[in-house]
Amino acid sequence: MYENLLFEKRGNVALVTINRPEKLNALNDATITELEKVFTEIKTDDEIYVAIITGAGEKAFVAGADIKELNQMNVVSGEAMSVKGQKVFDQIENLGKPVIAAVNGYALGGGCELAMACHIRVASAKAKFGQPEVNLGIIPGYGGTQRLARLINPGRALEYILTGDMIDATEALQIGLVNHVYEPEELTDKAFELANKIASKGQIAVRMALKTVLATKETSQSEGQKLEAALFGVCIGSEDFKEGTSAFLEKRKPEFKNK
Ligand code: CO8
């Protein structure tokens, strides 16, 4: 069904694997189009609560935009491709369901940008992040200038963007770019463990929490708190809230129905 992606469901968790290992999973135009398609499928599939994205092979998560394609671009097609990729990455960030990047190797350029569009990043000890576009005479074009500077200290973000230096897994953990670092062979299991833990909660609360926290990127504290109060009200109106609180009082595990 997909030429450059693998897609599977395990219970309520979807796994998307970018599958061009011979090109270190570089994002060509066709792969960007397929990402748009797969995340539309994930959004509309009610059985999927959480998604994980990773890269095929031992070496790379995604080594960036496809430099062979980039080399042929002009001012007009370059801007159009940047806008197209930004839209797809925004679609991932605004999916409404949590997306975890399981960064198994190089996450460079568009690969680092893809990981940053996800809500949570976990990495293998072999992972290497970076925005090396400056080495090619360009700047990040899939949201990296904005997301890196918001995710970590802006001065550090600028240093990485201006030097193109790579960030190893230990440093990525120190600067808050990733939440956890695992041995390479543990990464997928750990990502699923995290995804399943989130999937076991009431999904109304999960989605309202995601929406409220993401709003911090665009709103003031006071606007954000208004949204928090409104979505808190939505949660209070849910059957899951009754079930969660009753289960606590009855000293049993809740059985959420996501209603
Ligand atoms: N694009 C296309 N092909 C790639 C890419 C890439 N980004 N990265 C690796 N490959 C290919 C190589 O050309 C090689 O192919 P072949 O075997 O046919 O020659 C194969 O993958 C294996 O790569 P290497 O032999 O280079 O593997 P090494 O282990 O020696 O090196 C590196 C690994 C360090 C990751 C190295 O491959 C590298 O530096 N890759 C490029 C990293 C990079 O510069 N990424 C940023 C690209 S620009 C970008 O992402 C911009 C995003 C915004 C775009 C907005 C509008 C379009």
Side-chain angles (χ1 to χ4, degrees), residues 28-139:
N28 58 0
D29 184 27
T31 307
I32 294 278
T33 302
E34 289 193 348
L35 280 173
E36 181 181 13
K37 203 167 156 207
V38 79
F39 277 97
T40 302
E41 193 174 337
I42 291 169
K43 189 180 181 78
T44 50
D45 185 334
D46 290 340
E47 283 178 2
I48 299 174
Y49 298 171
V50 182
I52 299 171
I53 184 159
T54 194
E58 302 282 300
K59 278 177 81 170
F61 173 70
V62 165
D66 190 308
I67 297 173
K68 201 171 166 196
E69 283 188 357
L70 273 181
N71 178 256
Q72 299 303 310
M73 284 180 191
N74 60 33
V75 174
V76 173
S77 59
E79 184 181 347
M81 194 58 214
S82 170
V83 169
K84 178 176 173 178
Q86 285 179 357
K87 271 198 190 148
V88 175
F89 288 14
D90 286 353
Q91 178 195 358
I92 294 172
E93 187 167 54
N94 298 319
L95 189 72
K97 302 175 182 183
V99 184
I100 299 169
V103 181
N104 54 309
Y106 290 113
L108 302 175
C112 189
E113 293 172 301
L114 175 61
M116 290 191 294
C118 298
H119 306 110
I120 295 175
R121 284 153 295 284
V122 295
S124 127
K126 278 189 351 199
K128 282 197 167 62
F129 296 80
Q131 297 292 160
E133 285 88 345
V134 72
N135 296 326
L136 303 170
I138 50 175
I139 64 171

Side-chain angles (χ1 to χ4, degrees), residues 200-245:
S200 75
K201 313 293 178 189
Q203 293 307 300
I204 292 176
V206 165
R207 289 174 197 178
M208 296 306 113
L210 186 62
K211 195 171 175 150
T212 317
V213 173
L214 281 178
T216 58
K217 294 181 75 171
E218 307 281 352
T219 60
S220 63
Q221 170 89 18
S222 61
E223 286 301 315
Q225 287 187 181
K226 273 185 211 156
L227 179 68
E228 182 185 84
L231 298 187
F232 184 83
V234 170
C235 293
I236 292 274
S238 69
E239 287 178 28
D240 281 355
F241 162 69
K242 288 276 176 269
E243 169 62 10
T245 46

